[in-house]
Amino acid sequence: MENKLVVNGLKFVPYLKEDEIMKQVRRVASELRRDLEGKQPLFLCVLNGAFIFAADLFREIGINDAQIAFVRYASYEGTSSTGKVRQMMGLPENIEGRDIVIIEDIVDTGLTADRMIADLKAKNPASVRFATLLHKPASTKTGFVPDYVAFSIPPKFIIGYGLDLDGKVRNLRDIYVNSED
Ligand code: IMP
């Protein structure tokens, strides 16, 4: 595992190793495979942070008829939520009657999740499920609870495996936590 890191003057220490992450990705994939049996789901990867988790999860689920599309929302600046969620890249037009699975990197306040689900439900899908790599239940502002969670964590700032600090360090294979939080 890589050692301590300093990013934008903030210190980070190792938190979740690549093999632990992959073990939980496989567990979430098997739960989704069970729940989606016989369906042709449409996965929606929330850019940018979820792209690595989505790639691993989508391949682990192994449903050949499944499709994937990409949406983009933004609410964070630096290490904290602005409280305002902006849709940056639209939802696919025709999702009526589809079984949707949102793939998110992290649920913090829950504002992005609530906004996305409301936007989706307005388009009459058959079902909407929500899978996240990380969940910070203590940070919730909306009471939103994801359907599938790889790791439930305390309200600390996390980087690596797709998650960034000001666009940096998404490449790291392990997950790190801000040691000053
Ligand atoms: P929410 O709308 O407050 O739930 O925030 C969701 C978004 O905030 C995530 O998709 C991330 O982009 C970002 N975010 C929240 N917590 C962290 C973190 O610890 N590290 C990196 N990004 C985070």
Side-chain angles (χ1 to χ4, degrees), residues 104-121:
E104 179 62 293
D105 56 352
I106 185 162
V107 175
D108 184 43
T109 62
L111 291 166
T112 309
D114 276 0
R115 165 75 192 275
M116 274 196 75
I117 290 169
D119 289 352
L120 279 168
K121 287 201 166 154

Side-chain angles (χ1 to χ4, degrees), residues 5-16 49 75-82 105-109 134-136 139 153-160 162-170 172 174-181:
L5 280 177
V6 178
V7 187
N8 286 8
L10 295 177
K11 288 186 191 134
F12 289 86
V13 291
Y15 188 53
L16 299 168
S75 66
Y76 251 61
E77 274 168 24
T79 61
S80 61
S81 174
T82 61
D105 56 352
I106 185 162
V107 175
D108 184 43
T109 62
L134 299 158
H135 181 209
K136 298 182 191 169
S139 303
I153 62 168
K156 297 189 173 202
F157 191 75
I158 298 292
I159 55 169
L163 287 97
D164 72 312
L165 173 53
D166 283 341
K168 301 173 189 171
V169 295
R170 294 191 196 275
L172 301 173
D174 301 322
I175 288 177
Y176 290 74
V177 65
N178 180 1
S179 53
E180 290 136 308
D181 248 0

Side-chain angles (χ1 to χ4, degrees), residues 58-99:
F58 189 67
R59 289 180 298 179
E60 285 294 333
I61 292 167
I63 300 176
N64 291 349
D65 287 343
Q67 296 173 319
I68 188 161
F70 299 86
V71 293
R72 188 161 180 217
Y73 285 78
S75 66
Y76 251 61
E77 274 168 24
T79 61
S80 61
S81 174
T82 61
K84 288 187 206 117
V85 181
R86 289 176 295 144
Q87 187 180 339
M88 318 282 289
M89 194 169 108
L91 296 167
E93 269 315 304
N94 192 6
I95 59 165
E96 195 168 334
R98 299 297 306 268
D99 293 293

